[in-house]
Amino acid sequence: MARAGARADALLVPEFRHKDVPLARLFARRGALVFDPLVSRHDTLVADWGLHAVGSAQARWNRGIDRVSLALADLVLCDTWAQGALYEALGTPRARLRRVLVGAEDAFFEIGPAPAAGPVRILYVGGFLPLHGVPAILEAAARLERDGAALPSWRMDLVGKGIDYERVRSLAARSRVERVNLPGALPYAEAPRLLSEAHIVLGAFGAGEKAGRVVPHKVYQGLAAGRAVVTGDGAGLREVFEPGAQLVAVPRGDPAAIAGALRELIARPELRARLGEAARARAREVATPERVGE
């Protein structure tokens, strides 16, 4: 690895590998060291996941890892300029930042039209991270069931497992929702099939600042599939997409707003179709592997 790194024109350290950057710095003797952190460790472990108390020794340690890893890289990648502003606050000059969108894989662009028959299917696929705000999604589903509105038949699948999974299961049991399915984790390769069966795709709704800075992979996948996407609003999202034209953006952490958006999309197939068409067109402009590669 040391010999290969010494010969390389560029050495890339991928996401979440902050602790590998010092070693990579030693190996990148000839070319540029490029770091794609995706997230800040402090922002994720302290502010988002709540694993360490603010101001604790562990919090300060993770803030230090952020600063050192970002400082050692010749170029730092960010998925939005809103996220890049956080890296700037940690000491990275804007001149060393490059925005590279997350995008979606080819398989999602190849998904066909949504099913014409059966219930309106609403899909979340993810790791049940606090960033995603799945408890708020569950509460939105419960509101839709409770309000008794005359809606077409619908169902919601919350696919995956993670930090908030058991909490969501408990909430589902207490609220006695009947139209929400929690199948647990499925192989990642199943994601295109799941989206092909959906009419509405859910993004991230966490109330924390991090959720407002990023555009999650699941949002790009839903847009690439040509589906109506509902996600939390934020500066990062608005850098790339136009709410109301290519997707629906709601206040983050607001179950009533999520329920309202879903209620309208369930009732209006023509709106789902219009958003889905515009979504895929925009995704083709900015989010294919070729566009991201460029």
Side-chain angles (χ1 to χ4, degrees):
M1 179 177 177
R3 288 194 296 271
R7 295 193 302 267
D9 294 320
L11 187 60
L12 173 67
V13 179
E15 63 272 15
F16 312 124
R17 307 306 303 179
H18 299 62
K19 292 181 179 180
D20 292 342
V21 174
L23 184 61
R25 178 73 277 171
L26 293 175
F27 292 159
R29 299 171 187 170
R30 171 187 167 190
L33 175 59
V34 183
F35 181 32
D36 180 12
L38 188 64
V39 295
S40 148
R41 286 178 61 93
H42 182 278
D43 193 36
T44 299
L45 301 177
V46 179
D48 189 20
W49 295 5
L51 295 183
H52 310 301
V54 175
S56 66
Q58 281 289 341
R60 294 194 301 272
W61 167 250
N62 281 289
R63 179 74 84 191
I65 294 174
D66 281 338
R67 290 187 181 277
V68 169
S69 60
L70 293 170
L72 289 174
D74 297 306
L75 290 176
V76 175
L77 308 186
C78 55
D79 68 311
T80 68
W81 288 122
Q83 183 73 353
L86 174 63
Y87 301 154
E88 286 188 81
L90 290 167
T92 305
R94 180 65 174 257
R96 288 201 285 114
L97 288 171
R98 299 290 187 274
R99 189 183 76 167
V100 180
L101 303 182
V102 172
E105 302 93 316
D106 286 329
F108 295 93
F109 287 92
E110 297 166 0
I111 291 173
V120 175
R121 299 186 64 170
I122 306 164
L123 176 68
Y124 162 88
V125 180
F128 281 72
L129 300 174
L131 170 77
H132 298 165
V134 187
I137 296 173
L138 193 283
E139 173 58 25
R143 286 170 179 258
L144 288 177
E145 289 196 12
R146 287 197 303 264
D147 67 15
L151 287 174
S153 178
W154 62 272
R155 60 172 288 186
M156 178 182 290
D157 294 307
L158 304 178
V159 181
K161 277 192 175 181
I163 293 172
D164 279 341
Y165 179 73
E166 291 302 329
R167 178 185 174 194
V168 170
R169 278 177 55 88
S170 296
L171 289 171
R174 288 201 299 272
S175 59
R176 298 181 181 180
V177 289
E178 297 179 352
R179 302 188 188 189
V180 177
N181 181 38
L182 287 157
L186 293 175
Y188 183 75
E190 290 288 297
R193 178 188 64 78
L194 293 170
L195 266 72
S196 74
E197 298 170 354
H199 299 84
I200 302 168
V201 174
L202 301 176
F205 303 90
E209 293 181 3
K210 178 180 173 182
R213 291 193 300 263
V214 301
V215 184
H217 198 189
K218 59 178 56 47
V219 171
Y220 284 103
Q221 291 171 337
L223 296 168
R227 298 303 190 257
V229 173
V230 183
T231 193
D233 205 350
L237 183 78
R238 289 174 179 263
E239 285 181 27
V240 190
F241 302 108
E242 182 181 351
Q246 298 148 352
L247 44 64
V248 177
V250 300
R252 290 174 283 108
D254 187 340
I258 300 170
L262 292 177
R263 187 179 296 111
E264 184 174 21
L265 287 171
I266 292 169
R268 296 181 59 190
E270 79 286 354
L271 176 59
R272 297 197 304 269
R274 177 175 64 78
L275 285 171
E277 182 178 356
R280 176 167 274 176
R282 180 57 176 159
R284 283 177 173 153
E285 290 176 348
V286 300
T288 65
E290 291 76 17
R291 291 297 188 188
V292 174
E294 291 169 0

